[in-house]
Structures are given as C-alpha cells and as structure tokens.
Amino acid sequence: TSSSPLWVSFAIVVGGVFLSCIGHMGYALLFSTERAAKLYLRAKRPIMFVFSALFGLAGLKLLTSRV
C-alpha cells in the first residue's frame, strides 16, 4: 500500500522471483531424471487423451454458448 516503505514492496517482488526460480529449478531437476522420463513416456497417451477431451469439451461449450 502507499503507507508501506518502498523496500517492503521491493522485498516482496524479489522474494517472489527468488521462490519462483527455486521452484522452477526444482521442477527441472525432478523432471529431468530418467525415472520421470520413463514415467511420462508410459503415461503420455492417457495424458494426451484426457487433455484432448477437455479441450474438445471446452471448444464444444464455446460453440454452443449464446453470447
């Protein structure tokens, strides 16, 4: 808010960026393992099916909605 010092806003932004970077690096390390790659390759077809169905339903909803 306007009553808090500038350094507080700066600390919040820097803290958010830091946590985001740590999280994304953690995901990158986790999903770059051989085990994760094998798991994804095994689950790829079902994942694609589910997301295709969800996007298809969303598209159908858009086509049939009244504006």
Side-chain angles (χ1 to χ4, degrees), residues 2-48:
S2 61
S3 62
S4 51
L6 183 61
W7 70 267
V8 173
S9 299
F10 182 73
I12 290 172
V13 170
V14 169
V17 169
F18 177 74
L19 290 175
S20 178
C21 287
I22 294 296
H24 282 86
M25 284 190 282
Y27 290 139
L29 288 172
L30 176 68
F31 292 116
S32 66
T33 63
E34 187 176 340
R35 183 176 181 199
K38 286 181 182 178
L39 179 66
Y40 171 73
L41 287 176
R42 202 171 334 124
K44 184 178 179 179
R45 269 192 113 114
I47 290 170
M48 296 297 265

